[in-house]
Amino acid sequence: MNHKIKFEVCEIERKNYHLFLTIKINDKPCRLLIDTGASKTVFDTDRVLQFVNPSKLKTHHSKSVGLGVTEMETQATKLKNIQIGKLHINKLDVAILPLQHVNQTYATINVPAIDGVLGSDFLMKYKAVINYKTGYLKLFSK
């Protein structure tokens, strides 16, 4: 079954674009950056708390590298009750990292803050097709 979800294209600089998607987690709106270059789906350390109890965050002893940050300890959690368009996902494993620097940059150019980054782990799992012409993300599920 395939699902078409409208995404927002935002010109952050002349001829430079970011793609944003609004989903729901536990019936609460959630704004994500679609990032094909991100290996993992990541949520902001503070903003994830609107979707999950702090006791559900687990610290990983491995290190993560990325998002313009040097090595750091990471946390992870399982988000539940996710709705992306008409696609319902019972649970999704995500990494938790500070994204304040991203949101601070967005604030300087009047772009609304994000709760997280939808990464290639998710995009590959759901065989995502991004259609820039129509502005739709197509996801495939069983």
Side-chain angles (χ1 to χ4, degrees), residues 66-124:
L67 292 168
V69 179
T70 56
E71 287 188 7
M72 67 175 74
E73 279 194 356
T74 62
Q75 291 181 301
T77 194
K78 287 185 192 295
L79 296 176
K80 297 181 180 176
N81 192 23
I82 299 149
Q83 184 178 347
I84 303 176
K86 294 184 184 211
L87 174 64
H88 292 272
I89 300 169
N90 292 329
K91 60 184 172 182
L92 178 67
D93 292 318
V94 299
I96 310 298
L97 293 171
L99 298 178
Q100 293 94 335
H101 63 290
V102 175
N103 283 326
Q104 287 170 351
T105 301
Y106 282 153
T108 65
I109 57 174
N110 297 316
V111 172
I114 59 169
D115 298 302
V117 175
L118 192 64
S120 289
D121 58 335
F122 181 91
L123 298 170
M124 289 289 290

Side-chain angles (χ1 to χ4, degrees), residues 50-70:
Q50 64 187 310
F51 307 113
V52 67
N53 186 302
S55 66
K56 300 293 184 185
L57 303 181
K58 306 295 180 209
T59 300
H60 278 238
H61 298 292
S62 61
K63 303 286 185 182
S64 268
V65 178
L67 292 168
V69 179
T70 56

Side-chain angles (χ1 to χ4, degrees), residues 41-52:
T41 298
V42 173
F43 274 72
D44 177 66
T45 306
D46 296 324
R47 296 176 71 92
V48 74
L49 298 177
Q50 64 187 310
F51 307 113
V52 67

